[in-house]
Amino acid sequence: MSQANDSTRFSSQNASARQARNWKQQLLALAGVVLTLASTPGQAAPAIRNIVLVHGAFADGSSWAPVISRLQRLGYHVTAVQNPLTSLADDVAATEQVLQRQTGDVLLVGHSWAGAVITQAGNAANVKGLVYLSALVPDNDESVSELLTRLQAPMAGLAADAHGMLWLDQPARFRQVMAADVPLRQARLLAAVQQPIASASFGGKVGHAAWHDKPSWYVHTTQDQALPPAVQLRMAGQIGATVWSVPSSHLSMISHPATIASLLDRAARAASR
């Protein structure tokens, strides 16, 4: 009887051992599948986790809010620069301060006037890619005024006040120029918080244009009333940027935030490779 009990216990122990080995093998196999999926290029998280957003004239950092929330849900660390809009040098300095606070590589994004800002500030070593959002893109030793003259697209319709500042604070005019595809109520709010830019800013020259050395993308807004779409394409072509077209007004980050966030995610992944 004792021998039978011993045999039963032995068989039971063997069965338990085999079951444990089977579970172990299944767990190892599952772990292998997980590791394989994680290493698949299409699924891998981008190395660039920092995105710095730079606003243009007649706006402030809050104009990026709808895009920021979407990028944060994707896991990015996002910072919006608050440009003083008092000169190119001042805006570059404000952007450089933000870049210095980032841990790791950065995708640097500039809208409109801020294209000039990131063209200079993008020389920072931690900037790995530049995204121009319906933006102005000067070359080496060139100002925005000189750029627009070269492209035969001078600014029109704005006059500086007694302090040398350019304003776009009339709601109807703001919506017409900047945000034709944004609801009127929202356009009024945007006009209320718009920030004027010093007219002298357009005379400030970029030293070395970062796009000569770093990959660039250009978001071309096809319904733009502030910067003609054809001029945007000419600039994008001259710098060899990858072009994405969006059927939007000048403020595409407001009217098409999901699209813009998705494109920035794509740029971050591409710049990581």
Side-chain angles (χ1 to χ4, degrees):
M1 187 74 174
S2 174
Q3 289 180 347
N5 288 340
D6 287 344
S7 176
T8 301
R9 284 197 299 270
F10 184 73
S11 298
S12 177
Q13 289 170 356
N14 281 343
S16 297
R18 285 195 300 271
Q19 188 176 26
R21 284 197 298 272
N22 289 338
W23 275 109
K24 185 177 181 180
Q25 289 171 352
Q26 291 177 24
L27 287 172
L28 287 173
L30 179 60
V33 171
V34 171
L35 288 173
T36 300
L37 290 173
S39 62
T40 302
Q43 299 295 324
I48 293 176
R49 303 307 304 167
N50 301 299
I51 298 180
V52 172
L53 307 169
V54 191
H55 69 83
F58 316 120
D60 65 6
S62 68
S63 62
W64 291 105
V67 172
I68 291 172
S69 61
R70 288 167 170 81
L71 290 175
Q72 287 176 336
R73 287 199 293 270
L74 292 174
Y76 288 99
H77 174 257
V78 190
T79 309
V81 176
Q82 292 290 358
N83 281 331
L85 299 177
T86 46
S87 71
L88 176 61
D90 290 346
D91 289 356
V92 168
T95 301
E96 289 175 338
Q97 289 174 8
V98 171
L99 291 173
Q100 290 165 10
R101 295 187 60 81
Q102 307 304 303
T103 301
D105 295 338
V106 177
L107 181 72
L108 184 59
V109 185
H111 174 246
S112 193
W113 152 255
V117 179
I118 70 168
T119 297
Q120 180 64 55
N123 289 298
N126 59 344
V127 174
K128 302 304 178 183
L130 305 165
V131 180
Y132 293 92
L133 187 61
S134 51
L136 297 158
V137 193
D139 204 341
N140 295 337
D141 195 34
E142 185 175 50
S143 69
V144 165
S145 292
E146 291 168 338
L147 167 67
L148 292 175
T149 298
R150 173 165 62 84
L151 296 175
Q152 299 181 340
M155 289 186 300
L158 292 174
D161 66 10
H163 304 287
M165 306 299 290
L166 297 170
W167 296 75
L168 195 58
D169 52 352
Q170 297 300 316
R173 178 65 173 157
F174 182 95
R175 189 179 189 219
Q176 176 189 1
V177 174
M178 301 284 283
D181 55 352
V182 172
L184 178 58
R185 178 178 297 180
Q186 189 175 13
R188 286 173 174 165
L189 292 174
L190 294 169
V193 299
Q194 68 85 49
Q195 296 298 299
I197 185 170
S199 60
S201 299
F202 298 105
K205 291 192 177 187
V206 166
H208 177 74
W211 54 260
H212 282 289
D213 310 312
K214 303 184 181 184
S216 61
W217 293 262
Y218 198 104
V219 180
H220 161 238
T221 43
T222 63
Q223 306 300 318
D224 204 309
Q225 298 299 314
L227 185 59
V231 174
Q232 295 181 38
L233 287 178
R234 287 180 63 189
M235 288 186 289
Q238 288 171 2
I239 69 173
T242 298
V243 178
W244 290 317
S245 296
V246 178
S248 173
S249 69
H250 197 58
L251 287 178
S252 57
M253 70 278 272
I254 300 291
S255 59
H256 293 77
T259 299
I260 299 305
S262 176
L263 293 177
L264 296 184
D265 177 46
R266 287 174 61 183
R269 291 175 181 274
S272 296
R273 293 196 288 267

